[in-house]
Amino acid sequence: MEIKYFEVDAFANKPFQGNPAGICPLEKWLDDATMQNIAAENNLAETAFFVPRGDDFDLRWFAPAVEIDLCGHATLASAFILFTELGRKADTARFHSKSGPLTVTRNGDILTLDFPSRPPGPAAVPDALIRGLGKKPVQVLKARDYFALYEKADDVRSLKPDLALLGTLDEKVIVTAPGDDCDFVSRFFAPTAGVPEDPATGSAHCTLIPYWSARLGKTKMFARQVSKRGGELFCELAGDRVLIGGKAVLYSRGQIEIDDASAQMC
């Protein structure tokens, strides 16, 4: 069995920046175990798989250890492949996912995700979160993920978390602060999903955007994810949705070869 495979750096202006995603266009679904094995073999933050549904697509994302309910960078990368490698002429691509319908719109070299807003709220603060981060945050909130707020961008940049401790938590961890050359900065730790630190995380901005919009009193913002690779995101709050824009760069194209006995098409 031969499966087309692409690797894309999302939220990046050039290769080796942003967040790499593996993309597997399929005609029919593979069985779950095979998709999880491919994601583990790729060992990227996420590998995305999509199949046609009329003019739309069904989309799923797998981290190395588990299937994910929402992933921004691999959705952006999937649309990028449709537009640039698979001949899609329309300037929109609509995906159906475990988090509902998701649309990506192309405007020049900027691709914009239309995702659900997930504002953070009050949260119980596990001791492992504070000890794992290594520096006490000003405030801890929670949506899908823990949301740890710091005073300055340098506080976020300088964190050296204990990933083993963070891996004992029930959810992933966003850390954030006001930006010094942008509206806000963030980092994202997901050891529970087999991803120690994610370089540029679209889904985290479902929570970051409504928080910072309310705090800064503006709906349009520019954000940086200050991981080692770095990421740039153009953000907008649109009611109960968030718009997350960024660029993408093709790193590689090829194919995955799997013995038919090792995989099944659903």
Side-chain angles (χ1 to χ4, degrees):
M1 180 186 300
E2 296 180 352
I3 301 168
K4 286 184 179 179
Y5 178 73
F6 304 90
E7 193 168 320
V8 175
D9 291 336
F11 301 117
N13 295 314
K14 57 185 178 180
F16 313 120
Q17 294 181 349
N19 204 349
I23 307 299
C24 294
L26 303 172
E27 292 301 319
K28 296 181 180 179
W29 288 117
L30 298 166
D31 64 284
D32 289 6
T34 299
M35 290 189 286
Q36 188 64 73
N37 284 337
I38 291 172
E41 188 79 3
N42 290 343
N43 200 30
L44 300 171
E46 271 83 25
T47 298
F49 302 84
F50 60 82
V51 300
R53 184 204 280 199
D55 195 44
D56 296 351
F57 301 87
D58 289 320
L59 176 65
R60 296 172 70 180
W61 314 275
F62 287 79
V66 293
E67 185 173 4
I68 300 296
D69 72 328
L70 182 64
C71 177
H73 82 281
T75 304
L76 185 141
S78 296
F80 176 80
I81 290 303
L82 284 167
F83 294 139
T84 63
E85 298 290 321
L86 301 182
R88 185 170 181 83
K89 302 300 183 184
D91 285 329
T92 60
R94 183 178 173 87
F95 299 98
H96 301 271
S97 75
K98 289 189 172 183
S99 292
L102 307 171
T103 301
V104 184
T105 302
R106 172 175 56 179
N107 184 5
D109 58 358
I110 299 291
L111 302 179
T112 300
L113 304 166
D114 182 338
F115 269 29
S117 175
R118 291 176 168 177
V125 183
D127 180 62
L129 174 62
I130 304 303
R131 291 189 295 117
L133 289 172
K135 181 179 176 65
K136 187 175 181 179
V138 174
Q139 186 180 21
V140 175
L141 302 169
K142 190 173 186 290
R144 180 193 69 175
D145 312 308
Y146 288 105
F147 184 95
L149 177 68
Y150 287 90
E151 185 178 356
K152 298 179 297 185
D154 281 345
D155 294 332
V156 171
R157 291 190 183 97
S158 63
L159 285 177
K160 297 180 179 178
D162 183 332
L163 294 169
L165 262 178
L166 295 184
T168 66
L169 299 171
D170 57 343
E171 293 295 351
K172 309 164 194 71
V173 181
I174 303 166
V175 296
T176 187
D180 40 24
D181 64 348
C182 59
D183 289 297
F184 63 88
V185 301
S186 68
R187 291 172 69 186
F188 188 76
F189 306 108
T192 55
V195 182
E197 179 171 0
D198 197 40
T201 314
S203 63
H205 286 74
C206 295
T207 301
L208 288 159
I209 290 171
Y211 174 84
W212 285 109
S213 176
R215 177 164 166 174
L216 298 175
K218 57 200 300 188
T219 57
K220 293 185 178 181
M221 296 159 286
F222 176 64
R224 295 189 188 278
Q225 194 152 331
V226 291
S227 61
K228 183 177 180 180
R229 290 174 63 98
E232 297 183 344
L233 303 96
F234 302 89
C235 306
E236 182 176 352
L237 182 67
D240 63 353
R241 308 290 292 180
V242 295
L243 306 180
I244 309 164
K247 298 180 181 180
V249 181
L250 179 68
Y251 173 68
S252 67
R253 63 170 68 86
Q255 64 186 30
I256 296 171
E257 297 189 10
I258 302 174
D259 186 281
D260 288 349
S262 301
Q264 298 180 2
M265 303 296 286
C266 295

Short mmCIF file of all heavy atoms in Angstrom, two decimals, residues 43-96:
data_model
loop_
_atom_site.label_atom_id
_atom_site.label_comp_id
_atom_site.label_asym_id
_atom_site.label_seq_id
_atom_site.Cartn_x
_atom_site.Cartn_y
_atom_site.Cartn_z
N ASN A 43 6.62 10.76 14.46
CA ASN A 43 7.09 11.41 15.69
C ASN A 43 7.07 12.94 15.57
O ASN A 43 7.95 13.64 16.08
CB ASN A 43 8.49 10.93 16.07
CG ASN A 43 8.80 11.19 17.54
OD1 ASN A 43 7.90 11.19 18.38
ND2 ASN A 43 10.06 11.43 17.85
N LEU A 44 6.05 13.46 14.90
CA LEU A 44 5.80 14.90 14.85
C LEU A 44 4.69 15.22 15.85
O LEU A 44 3.99 14.33 16.33
CB LEU A 44 5.38 15.32 13.44
CG LEU A 44 6.38 15.04 12.34
CD1 LEU A 44 5.75 15.30 10.97
CD2 LEU A 44 7.64 15.89 12.51
N ALA A 45 4.50 16.51 16.13
CA ALA A 45 3.44 16.87 17.07
C ALA A 45 2.11 16.28 16.62
O ALA A 45 1.38 15.72 17.42
CB ALA A 45 3.35 18.39 17.19
N GLU A 46 1.78 16.41 15.34
CA GLU A 46 0.60 15.76 14.78
C GLU A 46 0.82 15.30 13.36
O GLU A 46 1.57 15.96 12.60
CB GLU A 46 -0.63 16.69 14.81
CG GLU A 46 -1.45 16.62 16.08
CD GLU A 46 -0.85 17.50 17.15
OE1 GLU A 46 -0.16 18.46 16.81
OE2 GLU A 46 -1.09 17.21 18.35
N THR A 47 0.16 14.21 13.01
CA THR A 47 0.00 13.78 11.63
C THR A 47 -1.50 13.84 11.33
O THR A 47 -2.32 13.33 12.10
CB THR A 47 0.52 12.36 11.41
OG1 THR A 47 1.93 12.33 11.69
CG2 THR A 47 0.28 11.90 9.99
N ALA A 48 -1.86 14.50 10.24
CA ALA A 48 -3.26 14.65 9.85
C ALA A 48 -3.60 13.71 8.72
O ALA A 48 -2.80 13.48 7.81
CB ALA A 48 -3.53 16.09 9.43
N PHE A 49 -4.81 13.17 8.76
CA PHE A 49 -5.34 12.29 7.72
C PHE A 49 -6.68 12.89 7.29
O PHE A 49 -7.50 13.26 8.13
CB PHE A 49 -5.57 10.88 8.25
CG PHE A 49 -4.34 10.22 8.81
CD1 PHE A 49 -3.94 10.45 10.12
CD2 PHE A 49 -3.60 9.34 8.02
CE1 PHE A 49 -2.81 9.83 10.64
CE2 PHE A 49 -2.47 8.71 8.54
CZ PHE A 49 -2.07 8.97 9.85
N PHE A 50 -6.92 12.97 5.97
CA PHE A 50 -8.22 13.45 5.53
C PHE A 50 -8.69 12.64 4.33
O PHE A 50 -7.90 12.11 3.54
CB PHE A 50 -8.23 14.95 5.23
CG PHE A 50 -7.28 15.43 4.17
CD1 PHE A 50 -7.59 15.33 2.82
CD2 PHE A 50 -6.07 16.01 4.52
CE1 PHE A 50 -6.73 15.79 1.83
CE2 PHE A 50 -5.19 16.48 3.53
CZ PHE A 50 -5.53 16.37 2.19
N VAL A 51 -10.04 12.53 4.24
CA VAL A 51 -10.68 11.84 3.12
C VAL A 51 -11.77 12.75 2.56
O VAL A 51 -12.35 13.56 3.29
CB VAL A 51 -11.29 10.48 3.55
CG1 VAL A 51 -10.22 9.55 4.10
CG2 VAL A 51 -12.40 10.68 4.58
N PRO A 52 -12.07 12.65 1.26
CA PRO A 52 -13.10 13.52 0.67
C PRO A 52 -14.48 13.22 1.22
O PRO A 52 -14.83 12.08 1.53
CB PRO A 52 -13.03 13.17 -0.83
CG PRO A 52 -11.70 12.51 -1.03
CD PRO A 52 -11.42 11.80 0.25
N ARG A 53 -15.27 14.28 1.38
CA ARG A 53 -16.71 14.16 1.68
C ARG A 53 -17.41 15.17 0.76
O ARG A 53 -17.61 16.33 1.10
CB ARG A 53 -17.02 14.48 3.14
CG ARG A 53 -18.51 14.25 3.46
CD ARG A 53 -18.99 15.07 4.65
NE ARG A 53 -18.63 14.49 5.92
CZ ARG A 53 -19.23 14.81 7.08
NH1 ARG A 53 -20.21 15.71 7.10
NH2 ARG A 53 -18.83 14.27 8.21
N GLY A 54 -17.76 14.73 -0.47
CA GLY A 54 -18.27 15.65 -1.47
C GLY A 54 -17.18 16.65 -1.80
O GLY A 54 -16.05 16.29 -2.13
N ASP A 55 -17.50 17.95 -1.67
CA ASP A 55 -16.50 18.99 -1.89
C ASP A 55 -15.76 19.33 -0.61
O ASP A 55 -14.84 20.15 -0.62
CB ASP A 55 -17.16 20.25 -2.45
CG ASP A 55 -16.13 21.21 -3.05
OD1 ASP A 55 -15.23 20.74 -3.78
OD2 ASP A 55 -16.22 22.42 -2.76
N ASP A 56 -16.16 18.72 0.51
CA ASP A 56 -15.50 18.93 1.81
C ASP A 56 -14.59 17.74 2.10
O ASP A 56 -14.40 16.85 1.25
CB ASP A 56 -16.55 19.06 2.91
CG ASP A 56 -17.43 20.28 2.75
OD1 ASP A 56 -17.14 21.12 1.87
OD2 ASP A 56 -18.43 20.39 3.49
N PHE A 57 -14.08 17.71 3.35
CA PHE A 57 -13.18 16.64 3.76
C PHE A 57 -13.43 16.29 5.22
O PHE A 57 -13.73 17.18 6.03
CB PHE A 57 -11.71 17.07 3.59
CG PHE A 57 -11.37 17.44 2.18
CD1 PHE A 57 -11.57 18.73 1.72
CD2 PHE A 57 -10.88 16.49 1.29
CE1 PHE A 57 -11.28 19.09 0.41
CE2 PHE A 57 -10.59 16.82 -0.01
CZ PHE A 57 -10.80 18.13 -0.46
N ASP A 58 -13.34 15.02 5.53
CA ASP A 58 -13.29 14.58 6.92
C ASP A 58 -11.83 14.57 7.35
O ASP A 58 -10.95 14.11 6.60
CB ASP A 58 -13.89 13.18 7.08
CG ASP A 58 -15.40 13.20 6.92
OD1 ASP A 58 -16.05 14.13 7.41
OD2 ASP A 58 -15.93 12.26 6.29
N LEU A 59 -11.55 15.04 8.55
CA LEU A 59 -10.18 15.27 9.01
C LEU A 59 -9.99 14.72 10.42
O LEU A 59 -10.83 14.93 11.31
CB LEU A 59 -9.89 16.78 9.00
CG LEU A 59 -8.54 17.26 9.53
CD1 LEU A 59 -7.41 16.76 8.66
CD2 LEU A 59 -8.52 18.79 9.61
N ARG A 60 -8.86 14.02 10.60
CA ARG A 60 -8.49 13.52 11.93
C ARG A 60 -7.01 13.81 12.16
O ARG A 60 -6.23 13.87 11.22
CB ARG A 60 -8.77 12.02 12.07
CG ARG A 60 -10.26 11.69 11.98
CD ARG A 60 -10.50 10.19 11.92
NE ARG A 60 -10.20 9.54 13.19
CZ ARG A 60 -10.33 8.21 13.39
NH1 ARG A 60 -10.73 7.44 12.40
NH2 ARG A 60 -10.04 7.69 14.56
N TRP A 61 -6.66 13.95 13.46
CA TRP A 61 -5.28 14.27 13.83
C TRP A 61 -4.78 13.29 14.87
O TRP A 61 -5.48 12.99 15.85
CB TRP A 61 -5.18 15.67 14.44
CG TRP A 61 -5.91 16.76 13.74
CD1 TRP A 61 -5.48 17.52 12.70
CD2 TRP A 61 -7.22 17.28 14.05
NE1 TRP A 61 -6.40 18.46 12.34
CE2 TRP A 61 -7.49 18.34 13.15
CE3 TRP A 61 -8.18 16.95 15.01
CZ2 TRP A 61 -8.67 19.07 13.18
CZ3 TRP A 61 -9.37 17.66 15.03
CH2 TRP A 61 -9.59 18.71 14.13
N PHE A 62 -3.55 12.83 14.69
CA PHE A 62 -2.94 11.92 15.65
C PHE A 62 -1.59 12.47 16.10
O PHE A 62 -0.73 12.78 15.29
CB PHE A 62 -2.74 10.54 15.03
CG PHE A 62 -4.01 9.76 14.84
CD1 PHE A 62 -4.86 10.03 13.77
CD2 PHE A 62 -4.37 8.76 15.73
CE1 PHE A 62 -6.02 9.32 13.58
CE2 PHE A 62 -5.55 8.04 15.56
CZ PHE A 62 -6.38 8.32 14.48
N ALA A 63 -1.42 12.61 17.42
CA ALA A 63 -0.12 12.85 18.02
C ALA A 63 0.61 11.50 18.10
O ALA A 63 0.02 10.45 17.83
CB ALA A 63 -0.28 13.47 19.40
N PRO A 64 1.88 11.50 18.48
CA PRO A 64 2.59 10.21 18.56
C PRO A 64 1.95 9.19 19.49
O PRO A 64 2.04 7.99 19.26
CB PRO A 64 3.98 10.62 19.07
CG PRO A 64 4.17 12.00 18.54
CD PRO A 64 2.81 12.64 18.65
N ALA A 65 1.24 9.67 20.55
CA ALA A 65 0.70 8.74 21.52
C ALA A 65 -0.81 8.58 21.47
O ALA A 65 -1.33 7.52 21.84
CB ALA A 65 1.11 9.18 22.95
N VAL A 66 -1.55 9.61 21.01
CA VAL A 66 -3.01 9.57 21.08
C VAL A 66 -3.62 10.35 19.92
O VAL A 66 -2.97 11.19 19.31
CB VAL A 66 -3.53 10.19 22.41
CG1 VAL A 66 -3.13 9.35 23.61
CG2 VAL A 66 -3.04 11.63 22.56
N GLU A 67 -4.91 10.08 19.65
CA GLU A 67 -5.66 10.92 18.72
C GLU A 67 -6.04 12.22 19.43
O GLU A 67 -6.35 12.23 20.63
CB GLU A 67 -6.92 10.21 18.23
CG GLU A 67 -7.68 11.00 17.17
CD GLU A 67 -8.84 10.24 16.55
OE1 GLU A 67 -9.13 9.10 16.98
OE2 GLU A 67 -9.46 10.80 15.62
N ILE A 68 -6.02 13.35 18.68
CA ILE A 68 -6.28 14.68 19.23
C ILE A 68 -7.65 15.16 18.77
O ILE A 68 -8.06 14.90 17.64
CB ILE A 68 -5.17 15.65 18.75
CG1 ILE A 68 -3.80 15.18 19.22
CG2 ILE A 68 -5.45 17.06 19.23
CD1 ILE A 68 -3.62 15.15 20.71
N ASP A 69 -8.35 15.92 19.65
CA ASP A 69 -9.69 16.38 19.28
C ASP A 69 -9.67 17.65 18.45
O ASP A 69 -10.65 17.96 17.76
CB ASP A 69 -10.53 16.59 20.54
CG ASP A 69 -10.12 17.80 21.35
OD1 ASP A 69 -8.91 18.13 21.36
OD2 ASP A 69 -10.99 18.42 21.99
N LEU A 70 -8.56 18.43 18.49
CA LEU A 70 -8.49 19.66 17.72
C LEU A 70 -7.03 20.04 17.54
O LEU A 70 -6.27 20.09 18.51
CB LEU A 70 -9.22 20.81 18.43
CG LEU A 70 -9.26 22.15 17.70
CD1 LEU A 70 -10.04 22.03 16.40
CD2 LEU A 70 -9.87 23.23 18.59
N CYS A 71 -6.63 20.32 16.30
CA CYS A 71 -5.25 20.69 16.01
C CYS A 71 -5.24 21.76 14.93
O CYS A 71 -5.74 21.55 13.83
CB CYS A 71 -4.43 19.48 15.55
SG CYS A 71 -2.74 19.90 15.09
N GLY A 72 -4.66 22.91 15.26
CA GLY A 72 -4.65 24.02 14.32
C GLY A 72 -3.60 23.91 13.24
O GLY A 72 -3.89 24.03 12.05
N HIS A 73 -2.34 23.65 13.64
CA HIS A 73 -1.27 23.70 12.64
C HIS A 73 -1.42 22.62 11.59
O HIS A 73 -1.13 22.84 10.42
CB HIS A 73 0.11 23.65 13.32
CG HIS A 73 0.60 22.30 13.67
ND1 HIS A 73 0.18 21.61 14.79
CD2 HIS A 73 1.51 21.49 13.05
CE1 HIS A 73 0.80 20.44 14.84
NE2 HIS A 73 1.60 20.35 13.80
N ALA A 74 -1.90 21.42 11.98
CA ALA A 74 -2.06 20.35 11.00
C ALA A 74 -3.29 20.57 10.12
O ALA A 74 -3.35 20.06 9.00
CB ALA A 74 -2.14 19.00 11.71
N THR A 75 -4.28 21.33 10.60
CA THR A 75 -5.41 21.72 9.76
C THR A 75 -4.95 22.73 8.72
O THR A 75 -5.26 22.61 7.52
CB THR A 75 -6.54 22.31 10.61
OG1 THR A 75 -6.93 21.37 11.61
CG2 THR A 75 -7.74 22.65 9.75
N LEU A 76 -4.19 23.73 9.16
CA LEU A 76 -3.63 24.71 8.22
C LEU A 76 -2.75 24.01 7.19
O LEU A 76 -2.82 24.29 6.00
CB LEU A 76 -2.85 25.77 9.00
CG LEU A 76 -2.31 26.95 8.20
CD1 LEU A 76 -2.45 28.24 9.00
CD2 LEU A 76 -0.85 26.73 7.84
N ALA A 77 -1.92 23.06 7.65
CA ALA A 77 -1.03 22.34 6.74
C ALA A 77 -1.83 21.48 5.75
O ALA A 77 -1.45 21.34 4.58
CB ALA A 77 -0.06 21.48 7.53
N SER A 78 -2.93 20.89 6.20
CA SER A 78 -3.77 20.08 5.29
C SER A 78 -4.35 20.95 4.18
O SER A 78 -4.35 20.56 3.00
CB SER A 78 -4.90 19.41 6.08
OG SER A 78 -4.40 18.49 7.03
N ALA A 79 -4.85 22.13 4.55
CA ALA A 79 -5.39 23.04 3.53
C ALA A 79 -4.28 23.50 2.59
O ALA A 79 -4.49 23.60 1.38
CB ALA A 79 -6.04 24.24 4.22
N PHE A 80 -3.10 23.77 3.13
CA PHE A 80 -1.97 24.18 2.29
C PHE A 80 -1.67 23.13 1.23
O PHE A 80 -1.43 23.45 0.06
CB PHE A 80 -0.75 24.40 3.20
CG PHE A 80 0.51 24.73 2.46
CD1 PHE A 80 0.76 26.02 2.00
CD2 PHE A 80 1.47 23.75 2.23
CE1 PHE A 80 1.92 26.32 1.32
CE2 PHE A 80 2.64 24.05 1.55
CZ PHE A 80 2.87 25.33 1.09
N ILE A 81 -1.71 21.85 1.61
CA ILE A 81 -1.45 20.77 0.65
C ILE A 81 -2.56 20.69 -0.39
O ILE A 81 -2.30 20.50 -1.59
CB ILE A 81 -1.28 19.43 1.39
CG1 ILE A 81 0.03 19.43 2.18
CG2 ILE A 81 -1.33 18.25 0.42
CD1 ILE A 81 1.28 19.68 1.36
N LEU A 82 -3.81 20.87 0.03
CA LEU A 82 -4.91 20.87 -0.94
C LEU A 82 -4.73 21.98 -1.96
O LEU A 82 -4.91 21.78 -3.16
CB LEU A 82 -6.24 21.05 -0.21
CG LEU A 82 -6.79 19.82 0.51
CD1 LEU A 82 -7.92 20.21 1.45
CD2 LEU A 82 -7.27 18.77 -0.49
N PHE A 83 -4.35 23.17 -1.49
CA PHE A 83 -4.21 24.32 -2.38
C PHE A 83 -2.98 24.22 -3.28
O PHE A 83 -3.04 24.59 -4.45
CB PHE A 83 -4.12 25.61 -1.55
CG PHE A 83 -5.37 25.96 -0.79
CD1 PHE A 83 -5.29 26.45 0.51
CD2 PHE A 83 -6.62 25.83 -1.36
CE1 PHE A 83 -6.43 26.80 1.21
CE2 PHE A 83 -7.77 26.16 -0.67
CZ PHE A 83 -7.68 26.65 0.63
N THR A 84 -1.87 23.74 -2.75
CA THR A 84 -0.60 23.84 -3.47
C THR A 84 -0.16 22.55 -4.15
O THR A 84 0.60 22.60 -5.12
CB THR A 84 0.53 24.30 -2.53
OG1 THR A 84 0.73 23.31 -1.50
CG2 THR A 84 0.21 25.65 -1.90
N GLU A 85 -0.61 21.40 -3.66
CA GLU A 85 -0.12 20.12 -4.18
C GLU A 85 -1.21 19.28 -4.84
O GLU A 85 -0.91 18.44 -5.69
CB GLU A 85 0.52 19.30 -3.05
CG GLU A 85 1.75 19.97 -2.43
CD GLU A 85 2.94 19.99 -3.37
OE1 GLU A 85 3.15 18.99 -4.09
OE2 GLU A 85 3.67 21.00 -3.40
N LEU A 86 -2.46 19.47 -4.43
CA LEU A 86 -3.53 18.59 -4.89
C LEU A 86 -4.52 19.30 -5.81
O LEU A 86 -5.58 18.75 -6.13
CB LEU A 86 -4.26 17.96 -3.69
CG LEU A 86 -3.36 17.13 -2.76
CD1 LEU A 86 -4.19 16.53 -1.63
CD2 LEU A 86 -2.63 16.02 -3.53
N GLY A 87 -4.20 20.53 -6.23
CA GLY A 87 -4.95 21.19 -7.29
C GLY A 87 -6.27 21.80 -6.92
O GLY A 87 -7.09 22.08 -7.80
N ARG A 88 -6.52 22.06 -5.62
CA ARG A 88 -7.80 22.67 -5.25
C ARG A 88 -7.82 24.12 -5.73
O ARG A 88 -6.95 24.92 -5.38
CB ARG A 88 -8.02 22.60 -3.74
CG ARG A 88 -9.41 23.10 -3.33
CD ARG A 88 -9.70 22.80 -1.87
NE ARG A 88 -11.01 23.26 -1.47
CZ ARG A 88 -12.15 22.62 -1.66
NH1 ARG A 88 -12.13 21.45 -2.28
NH2 ARG A 88 -13.30 23.10 -1.23
N LYS A 89 -8.84 24.48 -6.50
CA LYS A 89 -8.94 25.82 -7.08
C LYS A 89 -9.64 26.82 -6.16
O LYS A 89 -9.31 28.01 -6.17
CB LYS A 89 -9.68 25.77 -8.41
CG LYS A 89 -9.04 24.85 -9.45
CD LYS A 89 -7.62 25.28 -9.79
CE LYS A 89 -7.03 24.40 -10.89
NZ LYS A 89 -5.61 24.75 -11.15
N ALA A 90 -10.61 26.35 -5.40
CA ALA A 90 -11.33 27.25 -4.49
C ALA A 90 -10.39 27.82 -3.44
O ALA A 90 -9.38 27.20 -3.10
CB ALA A 90 -12.47 26.50 -3.82
N ASP A 91 -10.75 28.98 -2.90
CA ASP A 91 -9.91 29.61 -1.88
C ASP A 91 -10.34 29.25 -0.47
O ASP A 91 -9.87 29.86 0.51
CB ASP A 91 -9.92 31.13 -2.05
CG ASP A 91 -9.06 31.58 -3.23
OD1 ASP A 91 -8.05 30.91 -3.52
OD2 ASP A 91 -9.41 32.60 -3.85
N THR A 92 -11.25 28.30 -0.35
CA THR A 92 -11.63 27.78 0.96
C THR A 92 -11.57 26.26 0.95
O THR A 92 -11.76 25.63 -0.09
CB THR A 92 -13.05 28.23 1.38
OG1 THR A 92 -14.00 27.74 0.42
CG2 THR A 92 -13.14 29.74 1.47
N ALA A 93 -11.33 25.71 2.11
CA ALA A 93 -11.40 24.26 2.31
C ALA A 93 -12.16 24.03 3.61
O ALA A 93 -11.83 24.65 4.64
CB ALA A 93 -10.01 23.65 2.38
N ARG A 94 -13.15 23.17 3.57
CA ARG A 94 -13.99 22.92 4.74
C ARG A 94 -13.76 21.49 5.21
O ARG A 94 -13.87 20.54 4.43
CB ARG A 94 -15.46 23.13 4.39
CG ARG A 94 -16.44 22.96 5.55
CD ARG A 94 -17.85 23.25 5.07
NE ARG A 94 -18.89 22.95 6.05
CZ ARG A 94 -19.30 23.81 6.97
NH1 ARG A 94 -18.80 25.02 7.02
NH2 ARG A 94 -20.28 23.47 7.81
N PHE A 95 -13.43 21.37 6.50
CA PHE A 95 -13.16 20.07 7.10
C PHE A 95 -14.21 19.75 8.16
O PHE A 95 -14.69 20.65 8.86
CB PHE A 95 -11.78 20.07 7.77
CG PHE A 95 -10.63 20.32 6.83
CD1 PHE A 95 -10.08 21.59 6.73
CD2 PHE A 95 -10.10 19.30 6.06
CE1 PHE A 95 -9.02 21.84 5.86
CE2 PHE A 95 -9.05 19.53 5.20
CZ PHE A 95 -8.50 20.80 5.10
N HIS A 96 -14.55 18.47 8.29
CA HIS A 96 -15.42 17.99 9.35
C HIS A 96 -14.56 17.20 10.33
O HIS A 96 -13.80 16.31 9.94
CB HIS A 96 -16.54 17.13 8.76
CG HIS A 96 -17.38 17.87 7.76
ND1 HIS A 96 -18.50 18.60 8.11
CD2 HIS A 96 -17.23 18.04 6.41
CE1 HIS A 96 -19.02 19.16 7.03
NE2 HIS A 96 -18.27 18.83 5.99
#
